[in-house]
Amino acid sequence: MKIPADFQHPDSFESTLRTTDRTADDDGAAPRRRTRPPRPDRSAEWNVLDDALGPDQRWSTWPGLEKLMRGPAPYPEFVLEDAAAIDTELGVLKTGKEADVFLIERATAERRAILAAKRYRTPEQRLFHRSSAYNEGRSVRRSRDARALKTGSSYGRLVEAGRWASSEWNYLRMAFEAGAPVPYPVQICGTEILMEFIEDPEVPGAAAPRLQQTTPDAARLAGYWEQLLEAMRAFARLGFAHGDLSPYNVLAAGDRLVVIDLPQFVDLAGNTQGMELLARDCRTMCGWFAARGLEHDPEELFGELVASAW
C-alpha cells in the first residue's frame, strides 16, 4: 500500500485546532503551546497515517529496532528495510502449546516479502510449561527480573515470556551464523520473532511440511539423514544440543531440511542434563529413520556428537 505524497487526513487541520491552544505568558513572551489529552478513541501513540491501515495491518517495526534486534548482516533480499513498509497479517500458520506462528506480508509499493511471525504467549496462556531442565546454566542479568521469576509475580510472568523469545532469538542468530540449517532470523520485537518463511518448493505458496508428514524415497531419505547429521554436528560444535529434536520440529522443503523451535537449546557444558537430552535427540531421530528403512546406531551418533563438542 502506498500513501500519496500529498495525503492529508481530512481531520488533520481541524483536529490540530481542537487539541492545541496557544496562551501568552504574563510577561508578553511568545505563546506557549498547550496540548490537550488525545481523544478517547485513539491511543497516545496515534499517528494521522494510521488511519490508512486496515485492522490487520501495522507499520513495519523494523526502523525502530536496535542492531542486535535485527538479523545477521548481510541481510537477505527478502528483508525490507523501508520505513514505509506495511505489515499485513495473512492468518495463522501454526498453533502451538506456548507460541503461535502467523503469516505476515511486509510490503511497499514496489516490493513484498512473506515472513513467519512467532508470538510467544504469556505463561498463564500457555498449554504447556517447559521443564526447568532447559533453564539450568542460564543466568538472568537483572536482579529484579530474577526475583520476579522466582516469586511468579505478574511482572515475572512477562519476564518469562520475553525470556523464551529472547532465548530463541539468540540461538537462531548463533546457529544461522554457524551455518546450521535454521530459518534466517529477521528481527525480534518484544515477544514476537519474525523469521524466514520456509516455503514448500513443490507446492508454491504453501508452507513446507514437517518431516513427520513426509514419505521420502530411499534417495531423498539418505539426503535427509546427511543434512540432519550435519545440523546436529553444527549445534554440537557450538557446544549445544537442540534438546527437543524430533520429526515434528524439522521442516522438509523439497530436498532441503530446516530445523525449527530452538528456545530450549541446551548447553552441553553448563547443563547437568545436557548429555541426557542430547542422547534423547539421537534416539528420537535414529528411530524415525530406522522406521523408514535407514538404520543408524544412536549410541554411535551420540559419541560422534560429543567428540564434535570438545
Side-chain angles (χ1 to χ4, degrees):
M1 179 185 297
K2 184 176 181 180
I3 309 270
D6 59 350
F7 172 82
Q8 184 178 18
H9 188 276
D11 294 335
S12 59
F13 178 70
E14 294 182 4
S15 64
T16 300
L17 295 180
R18 287 197 302 268
T19 59
T20 304
D21 289 337
R22 291 187 176 273
T23 57
D25 290 335
D26 293 339
D27 58 2
R32 292 180 290 107
R33 179 169 178 158
R34 185 179 67 201
T35 303
R36 296 176 182 170
R39 283 175 26 178
D41 61 333
R42 292 173 179 165
S43 70
E45 294 78 24
W46 176 83
N47 184 300
V48 65
L49 297 180
D50 292 344
D51 286 351
L53 303 183
D56 296 323
Q57 294 183 315
R58 69 185 182 194
W59 294 104
S60 169
T61 49
W62 175 275
L65 299 176
E66 298 177 1
K67 184 177 180 180
L68 290 180
M69 298 170 71
R70 299 173 177 177
Y75 303 134
E77 187 177 350
F78 61 80
V79 173
L80 274 63
E81 303 178 61
D82 198 321
I86 292 175
D87 293 347
T88 301
E89 190 172 302
L90 303 178
V92 178
L93 186 60
K94 184 192 79 169
T95 58
K97 296 178 179 179
E98 54 189 14
D100 298 317
V101 181
F102 295 81
L103 204 59
I104 300 289
E105 179 194 62
R106 175 164 287 179
T108 64
E110 296 79 22
R111 297 173 59 201
R112 65 187 291 271
I114 301 297
L115 304 172
K118 185 171 185 178
R119 297 171 184 167
Y120 277 86
R121 301 172 183 167
T122 56
E124 63 268 18
Q125 296 173 318
R126 295 180 188 171
L127 303 177
F128 169 75
H129 292 269
R130 289 190 182 272
S131 169
S132 58
Y134 294 120
N135 282 326
E136 186 178 333
R138 299 182 185 180
S139 61
V140 179
R141 291 184 178 180
R142 298 175 57 187
S143 59
R144 178 194 177 197
D145 293 351
R147 290 194 302 270
L149 284 169
K150 185 175 181 179
T151 60
S153 64
S154 298
Y155 174 70
R157 291 193 290 272
L158 292 175
V159 170
E160 185 179 352
R163 189 183 185 191
W164 282 110
S166 178
S167 293
E168 178 154 28
W169 170 254
N170 290 329
Y171 294 138
L172 269 175
R173 279 186 58 106
M174 180 177 64
F176 182 86
E177 291 180 308
V182 298
Y184 175 81
V186 176
Q187 65 172 68
I188 182 172
C189 186
T191 57
E192 178 190 78
I193 299 175
L194 283 187
M195 64 186 81
E196 175 188 3
F197 169 62
I198 307 300
E199 184 180 34
D200 184 349
E202 297 169 1
V203 186
R210 299 168 188 261
L211 183 60
Q212 179 65 29
Q213 301 170 296
T214 67
T215 54
D217 59 26
R220 178 169 281 186
L221 187 69
Y224 282 170
W225 171 258
E226 291 302 321
Q227 291 182 65
L228 178 71
L229 180 58
E230 187 50 44
M232 296 180 76
R233 284 171 178 158
F235 298 155
R237 286 193 293 268
L238 291 168
F240 289 87
H242 185 283
D244 192 28
L245 192 59
S246 80
Y248 290 95
N249 48 36
V250 178
L251 302 181
D255 292 328
R256 170 192 175 207
L257 288 189
V258 180
V259 181
I260 59 173
D261 292 339
L262 274 62
Q264 73 293 312
F265 243 38
V266 178
D267 187 332
L268 294 174
N271 190 317
T272 58
Q273 299 183 58
M275 291 300 176
E276 180 182 339
L277 293 171
L278 175 60
R280 186 181 69 180
D281 286 351
C282 294
R283 291 193 300 269
T284 299
M285 298 312 300
C286 284
W288 187 86
F289 279 90
R292 285 148 185 82
L294 190 58
E295 295 278 352
H296 288 282
D297 185 346
E299 293 186 5
E300 183 179 331
L301 173 61
F302 174 75
E304 179 182 346
L305 295 175
V306 171
S308 297
W310 280 278

